[in-house]
Amino acid sequence: MRHTRHLLPALLALAPLAAMATPVTYSIDPVHSQVVFNVDHNGFSRSFGRLRITEGTVVFDRDDWSKSSVQATIDLASVDMGDTEWDKAVRGSSLLDSDKGRTAHYVSESVEKRSDDEGVVHGKLTLRGTTLPVDLPFRVNRVGKTIYGLHTVAGFSSQVTLDRTAYGMTANRGSIGTDVSVWLEIEAIRGGEAPRSNDKETSDAPAQ
């Protein structure tokens, strides 16, 4: 009983430390994550395309965003412009050059919090053998369980404009715009909670 009297205050003193949030690692879900871009086409319209994120991780600390980080791999050969011949042209050596370098990589260097749900990732993008700084303003959409409680998901949105010529894509300046608008919609699953393959169809079905 004497030991119990001393143990209880010690546990109560440690409780706030146990309750403090710590960095949590999430794996980017390639099924529910998208890279969408558009670029001016001859002044007539803006053409849209999509790329797949094949893998990546997000480390997120709700209490201290400076401890957060992100890294992602993008499959350049997956480009989808809505037309087979156009896909082939964009994959070609004058643009994405996916035969020479299949993937692009983004790695953060720091994360800055600007409001309760908005911040900026400061990092570097490697594309076509060129590595340049790229800051990604982002919004934390939601962190929580899916409707079936199968796993915990962190969702983020980001938008940035890139100069394609900075990465060596200098062809077709007369018909293709220089500035490329890029949107990222990211869902990442908390480590150890990745869904089974047969959960993919049902886990996001509308609630009954």
Side-chain angles (χ1 to χ4, degrees):
M1 182 66 70
R2 183 171 53 207
H3 293 298
T4 302
R5 288 201 306 270
H6 293 293
L7 180 60
L8 183 58
L11 291 175
L12 291 175
L14 291 172
L17 296 177
M20 291 178 63
T22 57
V24 177
T25 300
Y26 299 82
S27 296
I28 292 177
D29 179 3
V31 175
H32 295 108
S33 298
Q34 305 285 339
V35 178
V36 178
F37 63 90
N38 74 32
V39 63
D40 179 76
H41 180 239
N42 254 332
F44 296 116
S45 66
R46 296 192 67 86
S47 299
F48 279 79
R50 184 171 63 176
L51 291 161
R52 291 187 67 248
I53 299 176
T54 56
E55 61 180 355
T57 57
V58 175
V59 178
F60 187 55
D61 187 323
R62 286 190 174 193
D63 287 346
D64 186 353
W65 288 23
S66 68
K67 296 178 181 177
S68 302
S69 64
V70 61
Q71 65 86 18
T73 299
I74 301 155
D75 181 7
L76 300 178
S78 71
V79 66
D80 179 6
M81 302 294 299
D83 177 82
T84 302
E85 290 302 314
W86 204 357
D87 295 344
K88 183 179 178 180
V90 175
R91 288 196 303 266
S93 59
S94 62
L95 294 173
L96 293 179
D97 199 12
S98 62
D99 285 342
K100 187 175 180 180
R102 170 95 187 204
T103 58
H105 300 276
Y106 184 81
V107 180
S108 67
E109 295 183 329
S110 63
V111 177
E112 174 188 356
K113 183 176 183 178
R114 294 200 169 169
S115 70
D116 287 345
D117 55 8
E118 294 182 332
V120 179
V121 178
H122 304 284
K124 290 183 177 180
L125 173 66
T126 299
L127 173 62
R128 285 176 47 103
T130 299
T131 301
L132 295 172
V134 172
D135 292 342
L136 296 177
F138 71 93
R139 178 182 179 85
V140 182
N141 297 321
R142 182 189 172 203
V143 179
K145 288 283 188 181
T146 62
I147 59 174
Y148 290 100
L150 296 174
H151 44 273
T152 305
V153 173
F156 307 90
S157 296
S158 178
Q159 193 273 328
V160 69
T161 299
L162 301 178
D163 178 352
R164 68 181 178 93
T165 64
Y167 293 92
M169 290 179 276
T170 58
N172 305 103
R173 290 197 189 192
S175 59
I176 301 175
T178 296
D179 292 334
V180 181
S181 298
V182 182
W183 288 265
L184 299 98
E185 293 294 328
I186 305 297
E187 290 190 24
I189 301 169
R190 183 168 178 150
E193 298 183 2
R196 301 179 300 276
S197 59
N198 61 352
D199 289 334
K200 291 184 183 293
E201 292 297 323
T202 60
S203 60
D204 288 330
Q208 299 299 317

